[in-house]
Amino acid sequence: MDWKPNRESKIPIYKQLALYIENGIADGTFPQDKPLPSERGLAKELGVNRSTIIAAYDELESNGLIERKKGSGTTVSKDIWGMAKNRVPSWNRYIEAGSFLPNLPVTQRIHKEMAEQKLINLASGELSQDLFPLTSLREITMHRSFIGTLGYDHPQGNLILRETLAKHVKQFRGIETNPSSILVTSGAQQALHLVVQCLLKPGDSVALENPSYHYNLPVFKSAGIKTYYLKVGNDGINPDNITDLYKKHRIRMIFLNPIFQNPTGTLLSLERRKKILEISSEFGIPVVEDDPYSLTPFSMKKIPTLKSLDHHGNVLYISSLTKIVASGLRIGWIIGPKQVIERLSDAKQQVDFGHASYSQWIANDFLESHDFKSHMKSLVKRLESRRDQIVDSLDTFLKDQVEFKIPQGGIHLWCRIKNECDEINLLEESIKRGVIFVPGSTMGTEKGFVRFTFARENEEMINEGIRRFANALESVSK
């Protein structure tokens, strides 16, 4: 066979082979009157495991392209162009041709394992169920009248909720805005997608933090956006690096998570926040502020968001209730200039005709209630307790093997492993032992880091999870 697998590709080898044979069937390279290579022989020729060939043939057979019979080997289906069977679409071609790229394979694996296995979860950025304000939310649904509409609502989101959000961000986040400058979204993720798809074009350059949650999002590559990186230090990014990137690459937009950054937990210093806004105004570069965690400082002191310091309208502000109330509500929002919000609103309406009215009603009533303040106070205390536990556990089980900075808010701890190891093998060994985390390479360019999240498990399970991780690390370090 005149074909070799691309071992550098992110596409699994069996899928590469299946696609090659499928194309060969279409162009006549593999005719119906000749058998395909045997599984064992082809595995030897390509230098792969036989299981890889079996997986490729299984996929081709399921699509009706080949037939396998004992004693006769594997052949191209004789009825592939006939009328006796319905032809199955070449789904592989469609999947590979789509412009919206999939998550990284490691990210897909983590999501799959979290969904299908009972693991100690130090990977998910979601709050545990016991941190949700379930009693308050049940009270709303059971005893308060639904005041919304069951038809399509305003494209920007329910007006009453937007009025409540305007009051909320002024009181808790120091942001002055009005309902016409707010768009309700399905969480912060949708907000980010709308910004990239509506305000940037293929070939544009943007700046991202390194490491960053945004680093592993395929939305930038899907849109043909060039990404350049701003290294995150102990005080966040260095604003001077923005100037350098602008002069070299004419960056069109800056994406920042300045308060208890994901994954490092870093707080961008106030001095640097102000300097970034000065640079933004000097060059006319918009800043997209992703702010999930500004209400979670363990000191309980208010931290000024970039948007609250922005006096010229240069910042697009994204936040949500996902990380502080309940992820299932799917309530996020963007705050920005009215004309920008209208453009993003038009795009959102094309996708889903506006946000679900029922979850908007629940979110509005909870934000308006006295329960919100008490919930946040309790949430921050419990997150701090879990933060303290993961720090103690790391000191107990991995004292001389890791380095980390203790986060002062948020839900993430960024940890450097001192001795070199294969982080994918480490992930596999950890999963075998019943614990999962996020390898640092999925979130940045530097190797040897892992991200632990302490919002999903209680103190006992956090301690057990770090113990299991330590055992896995010992195993791969031998």
Side-chain angles (χ1 to χ4, degrees), residues 441-454:
S441 62
T442 66
M443 311 194 84
T445 59
E446 293 187 45
K447 294 182 179 181
F449 287 84
V450 298
R451 189 197 76 179
F452 295 122
T453 301
F454 48 85

Side-chain angles (χ1 to χ4, degrees), residues 226-247:
K226 298 175 183 176
T227 52
Y228 297 94
Y229 301 116
L230 300 162
K231 182 175 175 58
V232 177
N234 288 334
D235 293 317
I237 66 160
N238 183 344
D240 292 337
N241 292 340
I242 296 175
T243 302
D244 294 340
L245 284 183
Y246 179 76
K247 290 178 178 178

Side-chain angles (χ1 to χ4, degrees), residues 13-28:
I13 291 176
Y14 84 91
K15 283 188 175 291
Q16 296 180 43
L17 176 59
L19 186 59
Y20 170 74
I21 295 175
E22 184 178 325
N23 290 335
I25 292 172
D27 65 21

Side-chain angles (χ1 to χ4, degrees), residues 56-273:
Y57 280 3
D58 283 347
E59 185 152 318
L60 292 165
E61 185 178 29
S62 69
N63 286 337
L65 298 176
I66 65 171
E67 297 175 348
R68 298 148 94 184
K69 295 181 181 177
K70 286 186 178 180
S72 302
T74 303
T75 59
V76 176
S77 175
K78 291 182 175 59
D79 194 51
I80 193 169
W81 305 111
M83 299 297 292
K85 296 180 182 177
N86 293 322
R87 177 83 191 276
V88 177
S90 177
W91 290 118
N92 278 336
R93 290 188 186 181
Y94 287 98
I95 291 168
E96 299 300 332
S99 61
F100 195 87
L101 299 177
N103 280 315
L104 295 173
V106 175
T107 304
Q108 292 180 354
R109 174 77 195 285
I110 291 171
H111 290 163
K112 183 175 184 293
E113 294 296 336
M114 288 192 301
E116 297 180 0
Q117 288 201 55
K118 188 173 178 58
L119 301 170
I120 296 177
N121 192 338
L122 303 180
S124 173
E126 185 181 20
L127 298 178
S128 59
Q129 292 282 333
D130 62 306
L131 295 182
F132 295 163
L134 290 175
T135 301
S136 298
L137 297 180
R138 284 173 182 152
E139 178 75 17
I140 290 170
T141 57
M142 291 175 62
H143 300 293
R144 300 193 195 184
S145 299
F146 174 57
I147 58 173
T149 172
L150 291 178
Y152 295 133
D153 211 321
H154 192 284
Q156 287 179 220
N158 180 268
L159 177 59
I160 296 174
L161 174 59
R162 286 185 286 127
E163 289 173 342
T164 297
L165 286 172
K167 291 185 289 185
H168 166 80
V169 296
K170 181 178 180 180
Q171 179 180 358
F172 292 97
R173 305 168 194 245
I175 298 170
E176 294 279 353
T177 190
N178 58 71
S180 64
S181 295
I182 299 175
L183 169 64
V184 178
T185 62
S186 181
Q189 193 91 327
Q190 185 185 56
L192 179 67
H193 278 249
L194 290 171
V195 168
V196 172
Q197 292 164 351
C198 296
L199 305 183
L200 297 168
K201 64 182 185 301
D204 281 348
S205 298
V206 301
L208 308 178
E209 294 159 308
N210 180 25
S212 163
Y213 171 68
H214 297 139
Y215 177 88
N216 75 351
L217 293 179
V219 61
F220 296 100
K221 287 186 179 179
S222 296
I225 306 301
K226 298 175 183 176
T227 52
Y228 297 94
Y229 301 116
L230 300 162
K231 182 175 175 58
V232 177
N234 288 334
D235 293 317
I237 66 160
N238 183 344
D240 292 337
N241 292 340
I242 296 175
T243 302
D244 294 340
L245 284 183
Y246 179 76
K247 290 178 178 178
K248 289 179 183 177
H249 306 291
R250 287 296 185 266
I251 56 172
R252 293 287 310 278
M253 198 171 280
I254 307 163
F255 291 82
L256 298 177
N257 174 196
I259 301 176
F260 309 131
Q261 194 245 10
N262 180 4
T264 65
T266 301
L267 175 63
L268 185 65
S269 67
L270 180 60
E271 179 184 357
R272 291 190 174 190
R273 272 174 270 162

